[in-house]
Amino acid sequence: MGGVDMAKGRSRGPTRLDKRREAEAVEAKEAQEGQEEEVEEEEAEEEADAEPDAEADSDDGDGESPKKKKPAKKKAAKKAPAAKKPATKRSRAAKEVRRRAVWVVYDNASKEIETFPFNQKAEAEALLAKKIEEKKTTFYLNLVKKAIEE
């Protein structure tokens, strides 16, 4: 069942799937044998339980009670340990920070010159035009979301 490299005509050996199937077959065979042994043990116990009754009826009368066989303890069926579920990762809900949109006028070095509320875009554009005329350098306007400080 191993994989075959058709281009070069050589076998690469068994694949992971092949090995897994083999392991499952071995486990199934062991489980079946374990069940057969349990059935045989139960039958042997039943026979052992029946024998002391026959001996008790045929008491010799010498005053000694016949030795009774103790019933064999049943072996607990080996159960595969339940697979443990991986611990769920608990992530803390990040504290929601309220934000508001504001217009910010920046200079060429990305330094904030002035900040305006969102509804005052016209005033921000007026300041931008004024700064560009005065200094003949680059200024720009940007919409920024800033955290509300309470």
Side-chain angles (χ1 to χ4, degrees), residues 42-54:
E42 289 176 6
E43 290 174 359
E45 286 177 12
E46 290 174 5
E47 290 174 9
D49 290 341
E51 289 175 9
D53 293 340

Side-chain angles (χ1 to χ4, degrees), residues 43-59 66-70:
E43 290 174 359
E45 286 177 12
E46 290 174 5
E47 290 174 9
D49 290 341
E51 289 175 9
D53 293 340
E55 290 175 6
D57 292 340
S58 62
D59 191 12
K67 293 181 181 178
K68 293 184 180 179
K69 291 185 180 178
K70 292 182 181 177

Side-chain angles (χ1 to χ4, degrees), residues 110-127:
S110 298
K111 181 180 174 186
E112 286 187 18
I113 304 296
E114 189 73 36
T115 303
F116 295 91
F118 180 75
N119 60 358
Q120 295 179 2
K121 184 176 181 182
E123 290 84 357
E125 288 176 342
L127 178 69

Side-chain angles (χ1 to χ4, degrees), residues 105 123-135 139:
V105 177
E123 290 84 357
E125 288 176 342
L127 178 69
L128 179 65
K130 180 181 169 188
K131 290 286 188 182
I132 290 174
E133 286 180 19
E134 286 179 0
K135 298 201 177 181
F139 289 90

